[in-house]
Amino acid sequence: RSFLESPPEGFAEAFSALNAAIYAGDDEALSDVSERFAAWTDGEWAPVAHYCRAVAAWQRIGRAERPAQLMLLNAAVGHLDEAIELRDDYADAHALKARIFPLYHRLDPQRAAVIGPLSGEHLALAEVHAPENPRVVAARGMSLFYQPAEHGGDKNRGLEKLRQALELFENTQPAVEEATVDPMSWGEAMVWSWYGGALLRLPEPDRDAARQAFEKAVALEPGFARARTQLAELSGDAADS
């Protein structure tokens, strides 16, 4: 069934609150909305509810204190495990696992040695199940861009994938096939921010294109605190040069 046609009562409102909290960088709101999704972790929409709880935990990791970072990472992975156990073709859950598993290299190196190789496996599964899902394509782009070249990284191919993801967002309609368990179309502004950040990390940074990317992110999500900070930092750097 389509999420837009028949979500459980209160689910759409909870997802809107999650989206707003993500872009505001509001950790308290992210924690609160995660608890709201707990109400749906036993029903038909349990895979989506677990995925949303994983997203909420993931988004808090970077701003948390070190001990809490590992706790949030483990919580996110646990919810993704639940989502995939319930729906093994859940591409978004596989893609998010691929995005966050590398965090173990910094937060729990011993565990990273065991599960590190699984990141690529989950990304490959996501691509099999939903090759034109823009979040899946963006996850591949981020992997290619930030992986060392000796491990298969390629900054140019990574940028190409991020651009492909942005084109898919632009061309994707909100409603999707009935067979998809998670038809929510979200994350476009986030990927514009990722794209802008990648442009600044090129050997020869493309500051003008990065600025345009951050401006696009803010145009899509006016409350996007991180993109506003990125724009301010670019403006400050320009003023100092």
Side-chain angles (χ1 to χ4, degrees):
R1 294 188 304 173
S2 168
F3 167 78
L4 297 178
E5 291 176 359
S6 54
E9 183 178 356
F11 196 99
E13 292 79 5
F15 184 75
S16 294
L18 172 62
N19 193 68
I22 287 169
Y23 288 114
D26 187 334
D27 291 335
E28 183 175 354
L30 285 167
S31 178
D32 289 345
V33 76
S34 178
E35 293 305 313
R36 290 169 65 179
F37 281 109
W40 299 293
T41 53
D42 290 327
E44 180 183 2
W45 284 76
V48 184
H50 280 296
Y51 172 75
C52 290
R53 299 197 76 185
V55 170
W58 165 51
Q59 287 293 300
R60 294 170 59 198
I61 292 172
R63 294 182 294 269
E65 298 294 328
R66 182 62 176 264
Q69 288 183 337
L70 182 57
M71 178 187 69
L72 289 166
L73 177 56
N74 288 336
V77 170
H79 285 299
L80 293 172
D81 286 341
E82 294 281 355
I84 292 168
E85 183 175 350
L86 292 165
R87 184 68 186 257
D88 63 4
D89 63 350
Y90 194 173
D92 273 310
H94 284 293
L96 185 53
K97 259 196 170 184
R99 285 282 292 126
I100 67 176
F101 267 6
L103 295 175
Y104 279 112
H105 289 288
R106 177 171 59 87
L107 298 175
D108 190 348
Q110 186 172 6
R111 187 175 183 189
V114 176
I115 67 171
L118 298 177
S119 178
E121 293 181 17
H122 281 289
L123 188 48
L125 283 169
E127 290 171 323
V128 168
H129 296 310
E132 295 190 354
N133 178 320
R135 291 174 297 279
V136 171
V137 176
R140 174 60 74 186
M142 293 292 279
S143 177
L144 284 167
F145 189 89
Y146 287 102
Q147 269 193 333
E150 59 268 27
H151 296 300
D154 186 320
K155 292 190 183 303
N156 289 330
R157 288 178 58 212
L159 287 174
E160 289 174 7
K161 281 292 185 180
L162 289 172
R163 284 192 290 267
Q164 181 187 348
L166 293 168
E167 290 172 3
L168 287 168
F169 273 119
E170 187 173 346
N171 297 326
T172 299
Q173 297 298 315
V176 298
E177 295 83 358
E178 294 290 323
T180 304
V181 71
D182 178 14
M184 297 179 295
S185 180
W186 76 279
E188 183 176 3
M190 186 181 296
V191 177
W192 275 109
S193 175
W194 292 351
Y195 181 57
L199 290 167
L200 292 177
R201 288 168 175 80
L202 290 170
E204 296 183 7
D206 191 339
R207 297 170 58 81
D208 289 338
R211 180 178 290 104
Q212 292 172 15
F214 299 144
E215 288 172 347
K216 180 67 173 179
V218 171
L220 288 166
E221 293 287 347
F224 195 171
R226 174 58 183 157
R228 289 187 174 279
T229 298
Q230 289 167 315
L231 273 173
E233 289 172 349
L234 268 181
S235 299
D237 289 344
D240 292 338
S241 61

